[in-house]
Structure formats: C-alpha cells, structure tokens
Amino acid sequence: MPRKKKADSSTPTPKAAPSTSSASPESVRDRFAEAPRLKIVGLNSPESKPEPKPGEKEASGDWHWTRRHDDLVDPYFQRSTRLLDFLLAVILCAGAILSVILTYRGIGHSWDEALYLRPAASAGQWIIDLCRGKLSLLEPAAIDQAWGLEVTGEDPLHPEVAPVPKTVIGLGLSLLTGYGVSEMHAMRLPIALFFGLTVALLYIVGARTFGRLPGFIGATAYWLMPRVFGHAHIAASETLFAFAVVFLTWAYLAAIKRPWLSILTAIAFGLAFDTKVTALCLPLALLVWGQLYYRRDYASNIFAMSLGSPLVAFALWPWLWWDPLTRLAEYVKFYAAHQRTAVFYMGQMWGYVYGPPAPWHYPFVITAISVPAWTLLLIILGMLAIVGRCRKRPVPMLYLMLAATLVGVCALPNAPKYDGERLFFGAFPFLALIAAGGFDWVWSQLCALAEKRRPLAMWGCRAWVVLAFLMIGWNIRTIKKVHPDELNFFNSLIGGAKGAYEKGFETAYWGEAVNEEVIDYLNSLTKPGTKFKPLALNELVFLNLQGWGLLSGDGIYVAANEPYDYYVLQVRQGFFGNRERALHFGAKPLRVFEAQGVPKIEIFSGDALTTQALLAVRMLSAAQNPRRADDMPLLVAPEERKSSATLQKTSQRAGATTAGAHAAMSEQNETSQSREKVELRNQNQTDQDTTSPQEPSAKKALSPPKEASRGQEEMQLAL
C-alpha cells in the first residue's frame, strides 16, 4: 500500500466550501455596509450590538441582524435632536403663533365657535373652581350641570363635543378675559398656541426622518397651507386634533426603541380620542405598520394604547365618570348615526334630504384642489419616493399610511362628507411630512449625481434648494392674497375660488365671513326693533356678537318673526332652500361682501322676494345666459322634482318655505298666475304646480331659448 505523501507546509490548504445554511461574518457585514450608518446617536438610537464571534451562525432570518439591518437603513433611529434643532423648532413655533395673532382681523365668529362658546365656558369655569378646592363639583349633578346631560345635539352644553376642545377653549376664556383680552381672542389664542406647537413638532419629526433642511420644508409646508393657516384662527377641534395625531406619531416612534416611553403613546392616544372621535381609526395604521416593520418592538405601544389610553381618556372626561359605559355608548352611537349634513359638490346637492353623502372621491378631490400647487407637487413626489423605498425606509411609510387612513375612512360610502377638509383634517400634517420626503428624494438624487463630479448636477442641487425657498415665498404671497378667506382657498388646478364657484363647489361653510366689515354695515342698518333673518348661518353667532357688544343690541336676529326687514345670506350653496335660492338667483342685494372674486355674504331688503321687477330682470339674465342657469344648484334630488307634493314635503323638511312671498304676490295678480300656470304646463309638458310670479306680458317677453329651459324650470321652483 503506497504511503501518503506528507503535505508541504508551503502548499496552501484548500478552503472548505461555504455552507448553504450559514454565512461568514465578513459577508454579512459587507452586505450591511452598503447602507452607510450615520454616526449621530440620539435619544432613540439603538443600543450597540456585540460583534459576532468567528464561526458563529448568522442566518439571514436571524432577528438580531434583521433589527440591525432596519436600524441601518432608516436614519430616524440614528439621528438625534440637537440644540440647533430645538432652537429652530422654537423659532418656528413662535413665528407660527405670531403670524396667527397678527392676522385675526377679518375672520369673523364662525359656526362651531358659537356652538362651543357656552359649553367651553362652563367646562373651563368648572375646572378652575375644582382647582380652588370646591370638591362638591365632583358630584354627579354638578358634573351634569357643567358638562351636559344628553347626547342629542340639542343640549345647550353639547356633551357630544369632546372634552379637550372644551377644556382648552374654556380655560382660555376663563383665564385671559380678565386681562383685557376680548372674548373672541381669548377663546382663539390657545388654538394658535397648539398650532405653533404642531409646526415645531413637525420640524423635529421631519428633521429626524429626512434631515434638517427637508424637515424645515415640511414644517413650513404645513404652516403655509392656506386652509391649515385659516383653521389656526378658529376656536374649534381641527387644529387641536392635528397636534394630537403628530404627538401620537412622535411618541409611537420613540417607544419603538425605548419601550418605557410607551407611556407617552398611551397619553397621546387618549388625548387624540378626547379631541375627536376620528382618532379611533388611527390604531389600524399603527398596528399594520408595526407588524410589517417592527413586529418585535411595537408590542409595548399596543399594550399601552389598549390599557393605558382608555384610562387617560376616562380621567380627562368628567362627563364619563359616574356612568362610563352607558355614556360612552351614547357618544359613539351619536357619531355613528351622525346626520348627513348637506353639501354642494360638483354642481349637485348631497346629503341631508337630497340623497346619500357625497361620492367616495370627495376627500381626494378636495385635498387635491385645496393644497397649494407647489406643495401638491412635492406631496406627489414624496408618495412615489416613499412607495419606491418602502422596504428600506419604514418611518416615511408610517406617515403615508396614517394620511391614507384618515382620508380613506372619510371616503367610505356612508361616511359623512361635508365642510371641505374638516372631517379629515388630521391628514394634513402627514401630507406636509410627505412633501418633505419629496423634497428630500429629489435633493438626494441630485447630490448623488454631484458626488460623481457632474457639474450640472451640482448646480441642479443648489437650484433645487433655491426653488424650495421660492416655493415658501410663493405660499406666503398666496396667504397674503387670499386673507381673510383662507378657509375657502382653491388652487390653480381648478382656477382658484372663482373657478370652484363656477364648477359647482361649495365656496363657504363656516360663516367666518361675518367679520368687522359686515358687522359695521349691519349696525348702520339697525334701528330699535329692526328684524334680521340670518340664512345659511348660525343664529348663535349674532347672539354672541350682541352679547360682546360688537353688534348693535337694537336689532333682532334670533327671535324675529315675519315680515323681516333684512335678510343676511351666506352663500353656502349646500344650505340653499327655496328662500335662499330665490334671493341669491332672483333678487338684487343691497350689499355684497366678496372674497377672491366670489360672493360670501349678501344683504337683502325684507321685500326683496315680492319685487316682481327685480325677479323679471333676474329671469331675463338666466334666459340670456344658459350656462349660469345650468350652474344653479338643484333644490331637490332630480327624482323628486317630478312631483309637486314631494317638492312641498322636501321644502318643509329643509325649513325653507316661501309661503309669505307667495301669499303677497297672489293678492296682486292671482288671475295672471293661474293663466301663467296653464301656459307653463302646455309649454314644458311637466306636472309641476309651482309658478313664477310674473306678469303675462313679462312672461311673453322673457321667453327663454330651448337650451335655457332647465334653468327656467329651476328658477320657477326656487320662486
């Protein structure tokens, strides 16, 4: 048997083939080295991991390396909030608050502010008295007296309004009115404060996600959205809810790497629920995101939200203390069966007695046309970048999922849809962060090309930064141009507010157009006993203005009975009934208050509905301009217009009747109206028994062309 040859020491020993079930440490580190790790260690940065020992098994599915891989590719958990970031956040916060306070003039007392005033004042005084040691206020009767009793919408203390808006607004009223601050400003100043805090927190979150400059772009994008800026002037729940959802997002991310911070998540979600019931849809996005990206790290958040948040919500809502289960069920039931508030959308009436809520695309269309065009471009780029990098950048994906959840819930078939962006306002902070992601993506691409020593890319990188600051300047100019009508801003995609008005969109809803100019004009018309009839407006607004001494107390606005001396009409097309339509389309106003070229408030004399000459002129205008006639909003659903009985029933339910005007006109020319009714039936071959109060000669002279027949029919319905 031949003897084996001894291996020479100089001959290299062949390496064993790598095992398919394991990988060498070098190969693993090389794979992770492709994503450069930032060396800035912050509050939520991961703890250092021990290097694997040589020969130790390191399967790609091992959770240890998976977590490290996630940390490496998402910079959020490596960046820290440095002193400079805090200073910039404070500057942004102060600037946002100051910009709101200096632009209060021109924005009147709105619909929901009038609704919140008494409940907020009662709740705020209850809290202050309790802090002074009046423990008797903890009794059930005292709580009901301060916070309300029945969730029906008719209780003057409105217990269906969540406690956080009541508390914040009420404390502002109770604490600030004694220092020379007017009641209207006292209830609005806390909202401005939370607006500034939202801008600052958006910068902190955006800077940790995308970097300092993109974070600044995102914060200013939110600040300078005209509708967002407009809401910051109004003492309502929208701005507070925006802060609550951003705070919840920050706390949720903080607890991913520091589980003990999940207590902040519990507090934040409890505050969000106590601000608006819409917060109930947020855990869905948070749960799905955590399961997809950090399934071993998000359990503490879910546990805190499940057990801690209900306790926080209960503790902050005295109305629930003595009968929590029953009253919570009433609260949820009230909003589950919320009335379908009417809205005018794309030239048609939706909701209320007119049919189902607006179509599913309502929130998407409103978002697209209510955000400045430059910001909308960044949002689209950001969405594309987030989806394209969703496997490497989990945190931006969370922003997209939260925005999609808030908008998507509102898009459900039976979900209420009205008042523009109000019901999904919580999505706008995340849209601003997505816009920051769009800026960051373009900037990073240009910088990557510049690193390859391409001069054109280097100049492009600089130009992109300059362009971003020009966009900020453009948004400032836009707000200055549309002020004080920011709540009804429409971008250039639809032609501004005038284009939206012509295309059948609602161009007013909250009544904030009843500002100093309108009040001064109403005071000039007021004499002792003058009777005003507010139309498509909240009568509590005028009652509060009289109580504050801003509106003359000689006028009667709330308890006035017909005949009225003046009509005060807000051009809120969704709330137009017979009388509102007859005034807006068939009578000449004494004064029209416009904004962005669109009528907001119209003042009519009390006899405007009985002046036949003015109605005849308006009918002639409608006949000569078929386009305007066709743009008139529908009084009732098309299927209900065929029956005069259905029309009468619908008009009664809508609270819009013209019985007084018809009675006055029938005394003047009853014979001519009967003859005119027969002529209309023969001409139009319809079964409508509502006639136009015009002289036969005027009727013959104003015979409209065929293409204007629909406009004439609808004008007849309105009259």
Side-chain angles (χ1 to χ4, degrees), residues 485-547:
D485 196 39
E486 290 93 341
L487 288 175
N488 305 294
F489 167 80
F490 292 90
N491 61 29
S492 57
L493 295 181
I494 198 171
K498 292 185 67 175
Y501 180 78
E502 295 172 356
K503 293 176 176 62
F505 286 82
E506 202 167 65
T507 52
Y509 62 88
W510 239 357
E512 79 286 350
V514 183
N515 54 19
E516 295 86 354
E517 188 179 3
V518 176
I519 292 173
D520 290 342
Y521 183 73
L522 293 177
N523 287 337
S524 68
L525 298 176
T526 303
K527 298 178 181 179
T530 303
K531 293 186 292 186
F532 295 86
K533 179 59 180 176
L535 298 174
L537 286 163
N538 188 352
E539 292 182 347
L540 282 177
V541 168
F542 299 90
L543 188 64
N544 293 340
L545 291 175
Q546 286 182 315

Side-chain angles (χ1 to χ4, degrees), residues 627-646:
R627 176 181 176 84
R628 178 172 175 80
D630 289 338
D631 287 342
M632 295 178 184
L634 299 177
L635 178 63
V636 294
E639 61 271 11
E640 296 179 351
R641 292 197 298 143
K642 297 182 180 180
S643 171
S644 60
T646 305

Side-chain angles (χ1 to χ4, degrees), residues 593-607:
F593 296 90
E594 295 185 347
Q596 304 183 67
V598 175
K600 297 295 179 181
I601 300 293
E602 297 176 336
I603 312 296
F604 298 89
S605 62
D607 61 348

Side-chain angles (χ1 to χ4, degrees), residues 88-99:
L88 288 175
V90 170
I91 293 173
L92 287 170
C93 178
I97 295 173
L98 191 62
S99 66

Side-chain angles (χ1 to χ4, degrees), residues 184-203:
M184 188 184 298
H185 288 171
M187 64 188 302
R188 288 178 170 181
L189 284 173
I191 306 300
L193 172 63
F194 278 93
F195 174 67
L197 292 176
T198 306
V199 172
L201 192 54
L202 278 175
Y203 169 75

